[in-house]
Amino acid sequence: MEPMSGVNPNLYNSDQYIGKAMDFHCAGARRKTIFIASFDGGGGRAITSAKMAAEVEKYTGLRLSQTCKVLAGTSAGSILAAGSTFPDPAKPNDPPKTMIELTELFKTKTANIFPPMPYYRYATSLIWPYYNSTGLNNVVDNNFKELLLCDSPNDLYIPACEMSTMKPWLFSNTKIRTGGKLSITPEEFRKVRVGDVIKASCSAPTYLEPATMTFSSTDPKTNLLADKKYYFRDGGLVANNPSLCASTETFAKYGPSYNYSLVSFGTGQIPEESMIEPANNCGLLYWGVNFATVAMDMAAKITKMQLENLFVTEGEHQSLFTFQPKISPEDFTIDGSSKEHMERLEEDADACMEEHKEELRLLCEKLITEYYAEDRVQLQEF
């Protein structure tokens, strides 16, 4: 079979997994397309993701949860993913929030999560987190309250890191993958609140306290069922960009009967020249400040490289859309919350969408075409 015009030739490698992905993306136009929307972590910088996603909603005239069957978010991105699929708990019969409303949420509430702190907290943060988690808990509780993860209308994926077992956990609306032998019973799963999952994914080390969740499991020593408390840290430690997690889970769930398309909303990258390590400055002084930024930046880039093997990156059959704003080094922080800071981030998001306006146009055309297709059918799991 000859590749279609615009199809990434890497899809035609002999590797079985890549070949399977090829089958997903190179079928005829008669196949339904499942759209995946992904939101990176980044603290207050997630306002850029919300603002860019708002442009998509503006041009399609539809909520993202209407056009994208699958939603994924890490850390602050989990607030966007869950917020775009769950209704306001105070108005359960209303539709979910729009991305404009979620942009406003970050604009007005980030300062509640990361309030201005006295300078002596820099010293105490050597031992304790710089902020307590009261602000985050209040924001999450006010917007999600008792909503259950399993009730998500969309497929929802949120990663977090469990520290007592040192395993990555991937929460979804149908199951929890614990990265180990622990199995969550269906009864317990149906009790998991989406707000607790968001807190787990947002608990950034050194910034916030760990989030906790309790599950019953069998004690290997006594073989008896007992409650155990699990401690969670930020999902960004394992997948700050959850696109690959969501894509592979979706491929496995729905199989080769569909085409797939991914839109990834980033929370910014800083100019590469500002991160290049000087030859005479490669010790603790450099890495102590820049390690987390470099590690997450490199993880995001290799994730993008892997996604380019799974999706079409250009041409009329393009199925990978990534929007990553450029952010100045001084604004590249997760806890910036001043009005001026948030306004600059919004401007960065606007500049990104202007730079990629043709890609935005193509994406919106595909979303609208699929949504209003005459042969819309109920998706069937593989």
Side-chain angles (χ1 to χ4, degrees), residues 4 12 107 119 135 152 160 202 253 269 319 327 335 338 342:
M4 294 187 303
Y12 290 84
K107 188 186 299 186
Y119 285 110
S152 172
C202 286
K253 182 175 182 179
Q269 60 184 18
S319 60
I327 294 179
D335 60 345
S338 70
M342 303 307 280

Side-chain angles (χ1 to χ4, degrees), residues 212-248:
T212 61
M213 299 175 71
T214 300
F215 294 100
S216 295
S217 59
T218 302
D219 188 320
K221 296 181 180 178
T222 63
N223 205 34
L224 297 175
L225 195 66
D227 288 343
K228 180 179 178 181
K229 183 179 288 188
Y230 293 89
Y231 296 83
F232 294 93
R233 281 299 187 180
D234 198 297
L237 294 174
V238 61
N240 198 55
N241 179 347
S243 296
L244 193 59
C245 294
S247 297
T248 54

Side-chain angles (χ1 to χ4, degrees), residues 22-54:
M22 173 198 70
D23 290 338
F24 292 157
H25 304 296
C26 298
R30 67 184 183 280
R31 290 191 176 186
K32 303 297 296 179
T33 299
I34 297 177
F35 285 90
I36 305 165
S38 171
F39 300 93
D40 288 9
R45 299 199 318 273
I47 193 174
T48 60
S49 295
K51 190 71 185 294
M52 293 185 296

Side-chain angles (χ1 to χ4, degrees), residues 279-291:
N280 61 347
N281 189 23
C282 56
L284 183 61
L285 186 62
Y286 174 86
W287 283 107
V289 176
N290 295 305
F291 178 80

